[in-house]
């Protein structure tokens, strides 16, 4: 026994001493965001790490790329501002050991086009200004103002506009950016975030009185975490949390947000924002762990790189703190975890796709075509190229090609425009033929029905067919006359095979709507459709309605039998049969501008079905109207209870199955 225990101890020691598995991954893995499908998809690199000759830093917390492509870095740990060449070599170090040039924990900086360096000297609670040569020029202390008496002046980030007005982000301030002019005078606050209103706060306002509300903590806006300025004078603020809402705001001189507090994809953990000369935006997001690229409207385009807190690999970010873009579209990122400055440069594919997007978003479709062609040659799976070339073909009046490309890109708006042109051209060429075909169909319906009726009068069907046909015709009668129809159904006993036939017809129509609905109303890849899941979402609510309706109404002394509930609920599906087919046909004929026709048909269909279920419940169970509404509400609650119970049973059953399955695997493995 002692030998066995000693053997176990040695085995455990060897396992602990064994090295852990190491996982290597390319630092420039890239994804693109398909807004039409709301999904991130993999793509070849748009940006890749570039080797630099940069020095090691103690704690780089902010970074700014100047107009001359020099890179300015605020090193909080070393109390210095480092100036790097475009290749990353150290050119100048700013910050003396004593005197006016001495910095204390600087957290932000901004470089004007003239070369003046403004530093958020947080530890000294001032804004220090240095010349391009690194010599101290002046500083700005806390402005004299009654509005700032209770405010701690601890600047952390800032930008300076063309007039010399500073927009300063103070530590943990929820009031927005503090504005201060070149003379050091307070000019007010600017660009504060909106306070987040939660459901809990709304309930408190409804329930609590004024005295109780006064004791509650106010819902304050989130503080601005970073700020940037573009070449046009717009101020960009970066704000973390809020699930990306207002993560990046584009503020004009009046403080109006051009993005309208937009919810940003990959913006929940935003660190910083920068823009390039073409107006594209770049951010670093700690939540998604990516560097993200957006267009001029803050729509997500690409994401690359990743964050690893244990990294020792250049190009893999440890704890990114700031981002900047140079004139050649190189992306610079300061990393306080590794003490380095990372640089990413565009690949050939990245240069082509970004240039194509620049021209495409500017409406220069013809000029963008050669770039899209080069992108397409490198990657024919990138949906952005299909959307870009689709717009090019649409602009060139090549509507058939545009239709194909835009459908592949799931661009419903562009597809609708191309389809409109194709349909218009077809109508102009075949108007007379279509009119004749419609007239022929109408005449056939009018006289064909009369001929069929005469034929049946001469040669009536066998007696055995009369009852089933009458039951099927009742679908139309029940739909148009629900009270009379359901009273007739209550007194009749419909054959089980008729019920099965009606339900099979409903399922067939449902399958048709899944696979045959027009692209504009159902923009999905047909091969990706989960038919059983779609049918389940259609059938299960109907089945649980029958069960819940019968149970509830039985408890409430309803007269309806289970068979009658099934019959009535089946015939209540009549609007679905009669409305879905014309809606299905129209969905393949109308454009987005005319979709109100199809939407109206579907709305009327569902409302009609709801009315029929109400009437069915009232007639089958012999309730009055108010009692019917009350019992239907209880039925809906019961349906939710049944689903919750089924979910719990499924979850527990799966856990039990998994337990026995894992036990079986262990027994078979060690046996």
């Amino acid at each position: 026994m002692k030998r066995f225990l000693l053997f176990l101890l040695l085995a455990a020691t060897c396992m602990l001493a064994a090295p852990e598995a190491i996982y290597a991954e390319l630092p420039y893995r890239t994804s693109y965001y398909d807004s039409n499908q709301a999904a991130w998809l993999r793509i070849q690199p748009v940006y890749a790490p570039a080797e630099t000759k940069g020095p090691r830093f103690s704690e780089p917390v902010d970074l700014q790329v100047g107009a001359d492509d020099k890179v300015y870095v605020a090193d909080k740990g070393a109390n210095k501002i480092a100036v790097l060449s475009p290749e990353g070599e150290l050119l100048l170090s700013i910050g003396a050991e004593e005197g006016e040039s001495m910095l204390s924990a600087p957290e932000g900086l901004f470089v004007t086009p003239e070369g003046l360096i403004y530093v958020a000297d947080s530890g000294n609670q001032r804004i220090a200004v240095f010349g391009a040569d690194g010599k101290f020029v002046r500083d700005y202390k806390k402005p004299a103002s009654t509005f700032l008496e209770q405010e701690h002046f601890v600047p952390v980030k800032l930008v300076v506009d063309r007039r010399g007005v500073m927009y300063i982000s103070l530590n943990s301030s929820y009031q927005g950016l503090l504005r201060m002019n070149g003379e050091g005078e307070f000019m007010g606050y600017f660009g504060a975030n909106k306070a987040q209103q939660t459901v809990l706060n709304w309930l408190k306002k409804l329930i609590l009185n004024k005295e109780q509300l006064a004791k509650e903590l106010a819902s304050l806006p989130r503080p601005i975490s970073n700020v940037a300025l573009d070449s046009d004078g717009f101020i960009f603020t970066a704000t973390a949390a809020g699930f990306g809402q207002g993560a990046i705001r584009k503020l004009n001189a009046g403080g109006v947000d051009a993005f309208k507090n937009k919810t940003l994809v990959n913006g929940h953990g935003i660190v910083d924002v920068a823009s390039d000369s073409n107006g594209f935006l770049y951010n670093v997001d700690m939540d998604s762990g990516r560097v993200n690229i957006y267009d001029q409207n803050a729509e997500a385009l690409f994401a690359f790189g990743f964050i690893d807190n244990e990294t020792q690999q250049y190009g893999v970010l440890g704890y990114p703190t700031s981002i900047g873009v140079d004139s050649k579209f190189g992306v610079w990122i300061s990393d306080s975890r590794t003490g380095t400055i990372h640089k990413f440069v565009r690949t050939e594919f990245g240069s082509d796709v970004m240039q194509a997007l620049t021209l495409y978003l500017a409406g220069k479709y013809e000029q963008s075509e050669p770039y899209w062609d080069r992108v397409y040659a490198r990657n024919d799976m990138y949906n952005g190229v299909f959307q870009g070339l689709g717009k090019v073909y649409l602009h060139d009046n090549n509507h058939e090609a545009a239709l194909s490309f835009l459908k592949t890109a799931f661009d419903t708006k562009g597809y609708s425009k191309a389809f409109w042109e194709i349909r218009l051209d077809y109508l102009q060429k075949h108007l007379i033929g279509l009119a004749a075909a419609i007239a022929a169909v109408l005449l056939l319906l009018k006289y064909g029905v009369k001929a069929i009726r005469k034929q049946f009068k001469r040669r009536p069907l066998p007696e055995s067919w009369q009852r089933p046909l009458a039951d099927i015709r009742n679908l139309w009668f029940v739909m148009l006359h629900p009270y009379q129809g359901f009273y007739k159904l209550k007194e009749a006993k419909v054959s089980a095979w008729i019920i099965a036939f009606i339900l099979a017809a409903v399922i067939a129509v449902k399958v048709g709507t899944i696979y045959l609905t027009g692209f504009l109303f159902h923009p999905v890849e047909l091969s990706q459709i989960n038919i059983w899941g779609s049918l389940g979402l259609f059938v299960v609510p109907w089945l649980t309605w029958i069960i819940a309706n019968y149970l509830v109404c039985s408890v409430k002394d309803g007269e309806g039998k289970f068979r009658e509930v099934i019959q009535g609920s089946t015939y209540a599906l009549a609007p679905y049969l009669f409305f879905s087919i014309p809606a299905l046909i129209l969905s393949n004929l109308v454009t987005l501008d005319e979709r109100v026709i199809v939407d109206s048909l579907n709305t009327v269909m569902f409302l009609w079905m709801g009315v029929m279920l109400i009437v069915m419940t009232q007639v089958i169970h012999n309730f009055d109207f108010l009692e019917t509404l009350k019992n239907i509400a209880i039925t809906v609650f019961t349906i939710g209870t049944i689903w919750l119970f089924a979910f719990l049973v499924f979850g527990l059953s799966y856990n039990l199955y998994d337990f026995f399955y894992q036990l079986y695997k262990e027994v078979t493995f060690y046996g």
Side-chain angles (χ1 to χ4, degrees):
M1 186 66 182
K2 291 182 178 179
R3 291 181 178 178
F4 179 70
L5 292 175
L6 182 62
F7 173 76
L8 288 179
L9 181 61
L10 289 172
T13 304
C14 291
M15 290 177 66
L16 292 173
E20 295 183 2
I22 297 176
Y23 300 93
E25 187 171 9
L26 291 177
Y28 44 82
R29 63 185 178 93
T30 304
S31 304
Y32 74 92
Y33 186 71
D34 188 340
S35 60
N36 297 318
Q37 301 183 77
W40 287 99
L41 304 171
R42 292 294 293 272
I43 198 174
Q44 65 257 56
V46 174
Y47 273 89
E51 184 178 357
T52 62
K53 303 175 182 178
R56 301 284 294 189
F57 295 92
S58 176
E59 188 182 357
V61 294
D62 200 14
L63 176 149
Q64 172 83 21
V65 179
D68 53 1
D69 278 350
K70 292 179 181 177
V71 181
Y72 299 78
V73 182
D75 191 347
K76 181 180 179 180
N79 300 318
K80 301 286 185 181
I81 301 297
V83 183
L84 309 179
S85 71
E87 291 73 36
E89 297 176 313
L90 181 64
L91 300 177
L92 180 65
S93 181
I94 300 173
E97 297 298 325
E98 58 182 16
E100 292 180 318
S101 298
M102 184 181 69
L103 300 174
S104 176
E107 293 192 45
L109 78 159
F110 182 82
V111 183
T112 67
E114 296 76 28
L116 286 177
I117 305 167
Y118 288 73
V119 180
D121 192 8
S122 306
N124 290 324
Q125 299 185 19
R126 65 169 183 167
I127 301 296
V129 184
F130 297 87
D133 56 359
K135 294 183 179 179
F136 178 79
V137 177
R138 62 167 300 176
D139 62 6
Y140 296 92
K141 298 286 188 176
K142 178 179 178 180
S145 173
T146 55
F147 293 100
L148 301 176
E149 290 179 355
Q150 304 298 322
E151 186 78 57
H152 294 287
F153 189 74
V154 183
V156 289
K157 307 293 178 186
L158 81 159
V159 294
V160 184
D161 67 14
R162 298 166 184 168
R163 303 167 297 168
V165 176
M166 291 166 275
Y167 295 79
I168 306 167
S169 174
L170 301 179
N171 185 31
S172 301
S173 176
Y174 63 87
Q175 294 174 300
L177 302 174
L178 185 147
R179 289 202 306 168
M180 185 165 57
N181 63 20
E183 287 71 42
E185 298 171 338
F186 176 64
M187 300 178 64
Y189 286 99
F190 177 87
N193 287 311
K194 295 181 179 180
Q196 299 296 305
Q197 297 299 324
T198 63
V199 176
L200 181 61
N201 290 337
W202 178 75
L203 290 174
K204 286 179 179 179
K205 290 180 181 178
L206 289 178
I207 299 172
L208 302 181
N209 56 37
K210 292 183 179 180
E211 291 76 14
Q212 291 171 324
L213 285 173
K215 297 178 182 179
E216 292 288 322
L217 293 175
S219 180
L220 300 177
R222 289 173 286 135
I224 294 171
S225 55
N226 223 317
V227 60
L229 185 73
D230 73 358
S231 57
D232 295 324
F234 286 98
I235 295 175
F236 293 92
T237 63
T239 305
F243 299 100
Q245 186 178 22
I248 294 179
R249 294 183 304 145
K250 182 180 181 179
L251 307 176
N252 62 16
V256 178
D257 178 18
F259 295 156
K260 299 180 180 179
N261 211 41
K262 184 175 187 174
T263 299
L264 198 75
V265 177
N266 284 2
H268 180 66
I270 188 171
V271 174
D272 193 12
V273 58
S275 66
D276 65 21
S277 57
N278 290 326
F280 291 98
L281 302 177
Y282 303 73
N283 87 333
V284 183
D285 181 67
M286 293 294 293
D287 186 58
S288 64
R290 311 297 297 276
V291 181
N292 303 283
I293 306 175
Y294 306 85
D295 67 14
Q296 297 90 332
N297 300 312
E299 297 289 344
L301 296 175
F302 302 101
F304 65 91
F306 67 102
I307 297 173
D308 181 4
N309 196 38
E310 302 298 327
T311 184
Q312 295 183 0
Q313 182 180 1
Y314 184 78
V316 179
L317 305 175
Y319 192 89
T321 54
S322 187
I323 187 170
V325 185
D326 60 31
S327 64
K328 297 179 180 178
F329 308 108
V331 175
W332 298 77
I333 299 174
S334 57
D335 188 346
S336 64
R337 165 69 179 78
T338 60
T340 56
I341 304 299
H342 301 267
K343 182 182 180 181
F344 296 85
V345 295
R346 286 184 182 175
T347 62
E348 288 187 21
F349 173 79
S351 296
D352 285 336
V353 73
M354 292 302 290
Q355 185 61 27
L357 285 167
T358 299
L359 297 169
Y360 165 78
L361 293 170
K364 300 176 181 178
Y365 301 124
E366 293 180 1
Q367 297 178 38
S368 70
E369 184 173 4
Y371 294 99
W372 284 127
D373 287 335
R374 287 207 289 268
V375 173
Y376 185 61
R378 290 189 176 96
N379 188 336
D380 59 358
M381 299 294 290
Y382 169 44
N383 279 352
V385 74
F386 291 100
Q387 188 163 353
L389 285 174
K391 290 292 180 67
V392 171
Y393 295 141
L394 186 62
H395 185 263
D396 292 341
N397 295 323
N398 187 353
H399 300 125
E400 287 77 11
L403 198 73
S404 174
F405 274 76
L406 293 169
K407 184 175 182 179
T408 304
F410 294 94
D411 182 357
T412 54
K413 291 182 179 179
Y415 182 94
S416 179
K417 293 177 181 178
F419 181 73
W420 170 279
E421 297 294 341
I422 292 174
R423 189 185 66 179
L424 179 62
D425 182 63
Y426 183 85
L427 289 174
Q428 289 173 344
K429 293 178 179 178
H430 303 88
L431 182 60
I432 297 176
L434 285 172
I438 293 172
V441 170
L442 292 176
L443 290 172
L444 182 63
L445 289 174
K446 181 179 179 180
Y447 295 104
V449 171
K450 289 182 179 180
I452 292 172
R453 286 177 179 174
K454 287 181 180 180
Q455 185 66 24
F456 277 124
K457 286 181 180 180
R458 293 175 184 173
R459 296 181 181 180
L461 292 171
E463 187 67 28
S464 59
W465 283 85
Q466 298 295 332
R467 179 63 185 275
L469 286 176
D471 289 337
I472 293 174
R473 284 198 300 268
N474 272 341
L475 275 170
W476 181 257
F477 182 82
V478 170
M479 189 177 75
L480 296 181
H481 309 281
Y483 275 101
Q484 297 179 40
F486 283 119
Y487 273 117
K488 287 176 65 176
L489 280 178
K490 186 176 181 181
E491 298 170 358
K493 184 177 180 181
V494 181
S495 299
W497 76 268
I498 294 293
I499 297 296
F501 175 77
I502 295 172
L503 293 177
V506 171
I507 295 297
V509 170
K510 177 61 180 177
V511 172
T513 59
I514 292 173
Y515 284 103
L516 301 177
T517 298
F519 172 76
L520 292 176
F521 296 85
H522 196 213
V524 297
E525 181 63 44
L526 297 182
S527 61
Q528 302 298 318
I529 292 176
N530 181 357
I531 183 64
W532 297 112
S534 300
L535 290 178
L537 291 175
F538 181 74
V539 173
V540 170
W542 182 80
L543 291 175
T544 49
W545 157 265
I546 291 175
I547 297 169
N549 183 273
Y550 176 73
L551 292 175
V552 170
C553 294
S554 296
V555 172
K556 296 294 183 178
D557 298 324
E559 298 179 1
K561 300 176 182 178
F562 189 64
R563 174 184 58 80
E564 294 172 344
V565 174
I566 295 176
Q567 285 183 182
S569 299
T570 301
Y571 275 78
L573 296 173
Y576 186 82
L577 280 174
F578 292 110
F579 279 85
S580 292
I581 295 175
L584 176 62
I585 295 171
L586 286 171
S587 70
N588 289 277
L589 299 177
V590 302
T591 64
L592 287 180
D593 294 332
E594 303 150 350
R595 71 171 298 161
V596 64
I597 301 172
V598 178
D599 291 341
S600 298
L601 277 176
N602 288 327
T603 301
V604 171
M605 177 185 71
F606 285 112
L607 289 176
W608 205 322
M609 288 173 59
V611 170
M612 290 190 69
L613 289 172
I614 294 172
V615 174
M616 183 274 292
T617 303
Q618 181 180 1
V619 171
I620 295 297
H621 297 288
N622 197 20
F623 292 141
D624 60 42
F625 185 71
L626 292 178
E627 192 177 12
T628 301
L629 294 180
K630 182 177 70 173
N631 289 331
I632 285 180
I634 298 173
T635 300
V636 172
F637 176 78
T638 306
I639 290 172
T641 305
I642 292 172
W643 288 354
L644 178 62
F645 178 75
F647 176 77
L648 292 175
V649 170
F650 173 79
L652 294 173
S653 301
Y654 178 79
N655 288 336
L656 187 63
Y657 160 78
D658 187 62
F659 169 75
F660 283 110
Y661 179 68
Q662 296 298 333
L663 183 63
Y664 165 76
K665 287 205 309 185
E666 289 187 17
V667 170
T668 54
F669 179 77
Y670 291 106

